[in-house]
Amino acid sequence: MADAIDDEGTAEAVEKALGLLDLDTKARLLSGQDMWSLPAVPAIGLRSLVMSDGPIGVRGVHWTADDPSIALPSPTALAATWDPELARRAGRLLAQEARRKGVHVLLAPTVNLHRSPLGGRHFEAYSEDPYLTGEIGTGYVTGVQDGGVGTTVKHFVANDAETERFTVDNEVGARALRELYLAPFEAIVKNARPWGIMAAYNGVNGSTMTEHRELQQGVLREEWGFDGFIVSDWLAARDTVRGLKGGLDVAMPGPRTVYGEALAAAVRDGRVTEAELDEAVRRLLTLAARVGVLDGAAPAVAPADRPGSIDGDALAREIARRSFVLLRNEGTGGRGAVLPLDAGAPGGVRSLALIGAAARDARVLGGGSAVVFPDHVVSPLDGLRAALPPEVQFSYAVGADPTDELTPAAQGFELRAVVRAADGRVLGESRLPGGQVQWISDFPEGVSYEELHTVETVGTFTPRESGAHSFGTRGLGGLRLVVDGKVLFEGEQLPPDVDDPFEAFMGSPVPRGQVELTAGAPVEVSLTCAVARPEEALLDAVCFSLLHRAPERDAEELLQEAVAAASAAEVAVVVAATTERVESEGFDRGHLRLPGRQDELVRRVAATGTPTVVVVNAGSPVEMAWREEVAAVLLSWFPGQEAGAALADVLLGAEEPGGRLPTTWPERLEDAPVSAVTPSEGRLVYDEGVFIGYRAWARREGIAPAYWFGHGLGYTDWAYEAMDFTAGETPAQAADGALGTVTVRVRNTGSRAGREVVQLYLTVPEDDGEERPVRRLAGFASATAGPGETAEVSIPLPRRAAEIWDETQNTWRLIPGTYAAEAGRSVADRRLSVPAPVRTTAV
């Protein structure tokens, strides 16, 4: 089908610009000119189009803290709000940030599914459920594009794990592909009309995704009507001809890609036609028009029509507290539920112990391309200290360190990078976030890759603790590490033998030595890198890091300090966390355990008898074998820059924890229905079909998860009082419409105002002969009410909830019968049910 363009004026401007371009310029336009941008063509009024990573913040084109970014909570946290309108507000904020940084397209959102809890990048995706994912993704995309900034919905498709991500061929049955993995993309394309899609690294059923004509041209464009551009994931484009014919418009990054000169040559020798090239360029120029970088074309959103200014700090804090999932909240010693803490009030909590390394050094975002550099981070320690009334005694203990590895220099370091030419001239400088130089085709002002010779990380380190501090390096080239005048290493670090090209650029962490330092006494540090230039490198890159680890204290001593702090307090709050070596882009998890001795820490604190609240600081499921030994479990995800402020809001009762689980949490990894993420001979078979997440758990007898999809408590109680189903137009009359509308009335039976997420599930008839999940999420809505008040929500029941993908007919097929529409608080806590008859013909 022909691509739809926003209006006639845009179409005319695009065609006029296209007609002025010669073959070589057209081919060059589809190839990145550097890491983040496409070429400008002044002759046709085309300015350079800039892209940036942006799931939770807009980093911009430089890996630097010089231009800070708002850091919102992780995508799993956003999905846990079950609020598409809040996702839309998040998108509008990110569009505001993008415009401030000169960015035209965000490389987000990630709408791959939580197929297995081992997926290392699941913090960056939304959910195990395609409907919830599609609704949150629709809100996000709509919000970003409300602000005149493009999105690239990613990673199309079935990029649901990280192991061998560049080469794996995922074998997915047609039903599972349609009903699960394609479904969020389909919903967003139809409901939000995204301006871009990102093609994944992996293959699907024998074809790498950047060349997958059936899915990109056939399904995405012809069937769904997608009218935007398709960009490769970075370094994913492999073949010039198969890429263009398969539907790939833009190959990133540049300047060395399979497009550009290679594409022009392919047209000249007849391997692709110029008409095929023109189609891709037309889509790229349409994007340029939409974001306002093509003269003569009105942008899709005029500046006057963009949303008003948004307070980023306030929205980050709101999303965080709305995402926190209260998994457990029990009373102890004859008292009611431990949360919220009535700190400082008569008869309330008068002493509180905060415990955990992550309470002091908060982990607020996941690793990899989602990283941004906020101008501040409110840790749980800072947030609680600021919010607690002065009469409450407050103490802190580390308890257990979740990592024994060297990490990029951060706390206490003040560093900058000085770039020199071979003759020693200073070419430029840059402030460093976390001791990492990570320049890939983007260098400090005045610095060119051809001229730079050495980069020196210099500055001071002021330690928090006295003792033997460990230092190390990560990176390639000749390295010289000096701490407090002591040379810890001088030599060459060679590239690791790995398949992931990004890890090959960055090298592997290597310990280099220890230095005895005194708390509060600053020392000079430097790490000089004589830049390596591998001949086979696809990118102009300089990547190396100064690594550090504080003195290793005796683990038993730390645990005993935590026990003593808890024993002396009326309530203990333990913050337990994963690390960047557990959850990050580039690898999958090998287990679901908390790192270090954090499980032991929780058990020993709980054994003191002091009511214990555990805050789980993780982006995706972890095992919590101690969960019934503690008074409360609060899941905070990766909560963004306002983490501690939002946590104080919720713990102290100023706000209610509003989140519901967007994915099922198993008791143990071995119980998880799907745990295979490691390919065999390059293939990963999705042999579970359509049964992942709660759909798979519902088939199992005798094994239940720790917490079901949709679960989450609040600070009030709700009664489900009434439910009705009103049939709409027959499916034959409204092929894409709703089967009807479900109305649910709930009453707030607690003592404070609250918000309830009313979840609607459609359950198949008992005599159904189809192999399909017994129930699926079909809709949801939020209800708010004060104490004793009622609220009513109306939820459309979508036709798709009663359809399956017919593999023989290659189409959707409605399955008639009398279904049950069920309303409740989770997939396992369904309170009301009404019959929902589904017919295929009018009566």
Side-chain angles (χ1 to χ4, degrees):
M1 64 179 288
D3 290 332
I5 298 182
D6 296 331
D7 56 50
E8 289 185 7
T10 299
E12 290 175 2
V14 166
E15 292 304 319
K16 179 180 178 182
L18 180 61
L20 295 172
L21 297 174
D22 60 32
L23 173 60
D24 291 303
T25 304
K26 287 188 287 190
R28 181 166 55 88
L29 269 180
L30 303 183
S31 182
Q33 67 177 352
D34 53 31
M35 188 66 176
W36 302 112
S37 69
L38 295 175
V41 184
I44 63 168
L46 177 66
R47 294 174 292 286
S48 180
L49 189 147
V50 179
M51 295 175 258
S52 171
D53 287 320
I56 58 99
V58 184
R59 190 171 60 245
V61 300
H62 299 294
W63 191 273
T64 175
D66 287 340
D67 184 12
S69 308
I70 297 291
L72 297 179
S74 63
T76 43
L78 188 61
T81 69
W82 287 59
D83 190 339
E85 187 55 36
L86 187 58
R88 185 172 186 171
R89 289 169 56 203
R92 287 177 166 180
L93 171 65
L94 295 180
Q96 175 180 296
E97 284 278 280
R99 293 195 307 271
R100 180 177 66 81
K101 292 189 173 221
V103 168
H104 306 111
V105 177
L106 283 188
L107 304 173
T110 301
V111 299
N112 302 114
L113 297 185
H114 296 181
R115 173 179 172 263
S116 162
L118 291 177
R121 202 175 179 180
H122 281 348
F123 63 86
E124 196 182 319
Y126 292 131
S127 169
E128 70 185 27
D129 182 77
Y131 180 82
L132 177 60
T133 297
E135 290 294 296
I136 299 298
T138 292
Y140 180 101
V141 168
T142 303
V144 173
Q145 294 183 177
D146 283 346
V149 174
T151 56
T152 58
V153 187
K154 63 185 189 182
H155 307 86
F156 190 75
V157 62
N159 185 181
D160 311 299
E162 293 293 278
T163 305
E164 298 180 23
R165 62 177 176 158
F166 286 90
T167 56
V168 63
D169 181 36
N170 294 326
E171 295 190 4
V172 191
R175 272 195 65 194
L177 192 60
R178 289 285 187 158
E179 295 181 22
L180 295 177
Y181 305 104
L182 286 171
F185 290 94
E186 180 183 9
I188 294 169
V189 166
K190 291 182 176 179
N191 298 328
R193 198 185 173 197
W195 300 343
I197 297 284
M198 181 185 290
Y201 290 122
N202 57 277
V204 171
N205 298 333
S207 173
T208 188
M209 277 308 307
T210 54
E211 303 165 11
H212 210 305
R213 185 174 180 85
E214 177 187 353
L215 292 178
Q216 295 186 140
Q217 297 282 49
V219 173
L220 185 56
R221 289 199 169 108
E222 295 174 9
E223 183 180 328
W224 297 348
F226 172 66
D227 68 352
F229 87 124
I230 299 176
V231 61
S232 71
D233 204 341
W234 266 226
L235 300 178
R238 295 167 172 84
D239 186 89
T240 304
V241 174
R242 291 197 300 268
L244 192 73
K245 288 183 176 292
L248 182 70
D249 297 317
V250 174
M252 289 295 289
R256 293 181 287 279
T257 79
V258 298
Y259 282 1
E261 293 180 4
L263 182 52
V267 174
R268 288 191 172 98
D269 64 21
R271 287 176 292 147
V272 296
T273 67
E274 191 161 1
E276 290 172 313
L277 172 62
D278 285 350
E279 280 298 304
V281 176
R282 184 174 287 114
R283 287 188 284 264
L284 187 276
L285 292 174
T286 300
L287 173 67
R290 286 171 168 168
V291 301
V293 297
L294 179 64
D295 290 347
V301 181
D305 296 331
R306 295 170 185 164
S309 179
I310 299 172
D311 184 330
D313 293 351
L315 185 57
R317 185 169 179 171
E318 179 184 354
I319 294 172
R321 67 191 184 220
R322 288 276 304 278
S323 74
F324 291 171
V325 181
L326 185 57
L327 297 174
R328 175 180 172 84
N329 193 20
E330 301 293 328
T332 58
R335 298 172 57 182
V338 66
L339 293 179
L341 301 174
D342 196 9
V349 174
R350 293 164 298 179
S351 59
L352 177 69
L354 179 64
I355 298 166
R360 180 180 65 182
D361 300 317
R363 185 172 189 204
V364 302
L365 44 79
S369 62
V371 168
V372 296
F373 307 107
D375 64 4
H376 69 273
V377 170
V378 182
S379 70
L381 179 59
D382 294 337
L384 278 170
R385 183 177 281 151
L388 283 169
E391 60 269 24
V392 175
Q393 296 181 3
F394 182 55
S395 63
Y396 169 74
V398 173
D401 194 334
T403 182
D404 58 0
E405 297 180 339
L406 293 159
T407 57
Q411 180 65 43
F413 287 86
E414 292 289 337
L415 302 170
R416 70 185 191 281
V418 179
V419 186
R420 297 182 185 275
D423 60 5
R425 285 179 297 113
V426 174
L427 301 176
E429 295 191 12
S430 175
R431 191 164 64 95
L432 284 186
Q436 299 181 84
V437 171
Q438 192 160 311
W439 302 331
I440 305 177
S441 299
D442 55 297
F443 302 100
E445 186 175 352
V447 175
S448 69
Y449 182 71
E450 292 74 20
E451 193 174 14
L452 70 83
H453 180 263
T454 61
V455 179
E456 185 180 10
T457 298
V458 294
T460 61
F461 171 51
T462 305
R464 288 187 298 200
E465 302 96 356
S466 298
H469 287 254
S470 300
F471 293 86
T473 62
R474 183 182 186 187
L476 308 180
L479 300 175
R480 186 173 191 268
L481 174 62
V482 182
V483 178
D484 196 21
K486 180 180 180 181
V487 178
L488 297 183
F489 176 73
E490 188 165 11
E492 186 175 10
Q493 190 159 335
L494 300 175
D497 184 16
V498 293
D499 294 327
D500 189 317
F502 291 105
E503 186 175 350
F505 278 132
M506 297 171 192
S508 299
V510 181
R512 299 301 187 187
Q514 294 184 328
V515 180
E516 287 285 339
L517 300 176
T518 303
V523 296
E524 293 186 354
V525 296
S526 71
L527 173 61
T528 302
C529 176
V531 176
R533 299 172 185 269
E535 291 183 4
E536 67 279 7
L538 297 175
L539 299 171
D540 296 340
V542 178
C543 297
F544 68 97
S545 302
L546 170 62
L547 307 178
H548 168 258
R549 174 167 165 73
E552 296 186 47
R553 292 187 55 199
D554 180 74
E556 183 61 30
E557 181 182 325
L558 289 175
L559 289 167
Q560 289 176 3
E561 287 179 0
V563 167
S567 299
E570 292 184 14
V571 174
V573 176
V574 180
V575 181
T578 61
T579 69
E580 196 165 322
R581 298 298 295 170
V582 174
E583 290 183 273
S584 185
E585 179 180 350
F587 57 85
D588 291 311
R589 301 159 73 187
H591 58 78
L592 300 183
R593 298 184 300 277
L594 287 167
R597 296 177 67 174
Q598 293 181 102
D599 288 317
E600 182 182 355
L601 169 66
V602 171
R603 284 198 150 119
R604 289 176 65 166
V605 169
T608 65
T610 299
T612 300
V613 177
V614 182
V615 178
V616 180
N617 184 190
S620 50
V622 297
E623 293 176 357
M624 301 179 292
W626 36 258
R627 63 190 179 92
E628 294 186 357
E629 301 170 30
V630 301
V633 180
L634 181 69
L635 175 56
S636 71
W637 310 104
F638 296 147
Q641 66 181 46
E642 299 297 318
L647 182 62
D649 288 342
V650 167
L651 291 180
L652 302 182
E655 300 287 344
E656 183 180 42
R660 305 294 185 266
L661 284 180
T663 203
T664 304
W665 279 46
E667 185 81 49
R668 305 173 304 166
L669 173 59
E670 50 263 42
D671 296 337
V674 181
S675 57
V677 294
T678 301
S680 174
E681 297 181 349
R683 297 164 52 246
L684 182 62
V685 181
Y686 286 38
D687 54 12
E688 70 281 351
V690 297
F691 295 96
I692 67 169
Y694 68 86
R695 302 162 186 244
W697 283 99
R699 306 177 79 195
R700 316 182 79 186
E701 294 184 6
I703 302 178
Y707 298 104
W708 284 92
F709 175 82
H711 173 71
L713 308 174
Y715 287 160
T716 189
D717 295 314
W718 296 87
Y720 280 61
E721 295 188 338
M723 179 179 184
D724 295 300
F725 171 71
T726 303
E729 291 184 285
T730 65
Q733 294 170 319
D736 294 322
L739 299 171
T741 301
V742 175
T743 304
V744 182
R745 187 176 74 244
V746 295
R747 181 181 296 275
N748 183 346
T749 60
S751 59
R752 60 178 284 166
R755 171 179 175 267
E756 173 73 341
V757 178
V758 179
Q759 301 168 37
L760 178 65
Y761 296 90
L762 191 67
T763 300
V764 302
E766 289 187 8
D767 60 353
D768 182 75
E770 302 291 341
E771 179 73 2
R772 55 177 170 159
V774 65
R775 64 177 49 80
R776 61 188 295 182
L777 179 69
F780 58 90
S782 295
T784 57
E789 296 177 349
T790 61
E792 190 172 274
V793 297
S794 294
I795 306 172
L797 183 62
R799 172 188 173 93
R800 185 59 58 82
E803 290 182 321
I804 66 170
W805 182 258
D806 189 320
E807 295 182 339
T808 59
Q809 299 297 317
N810 201 36
T811 189
W812 291 101
R813 178 163 59 91
L814 187 73
I815 309 298
T818 300
Y819 292 74
E822 302 173 322
R825 310 200 71 198
S826 77
V827 71
D829 184 6
R830 305 176 307 281
R831 303 293 180 87
L832 296 174
S833 176
V834 295
V838 172
R839 296 180 291 273
T840 56
T841 58
V843 247

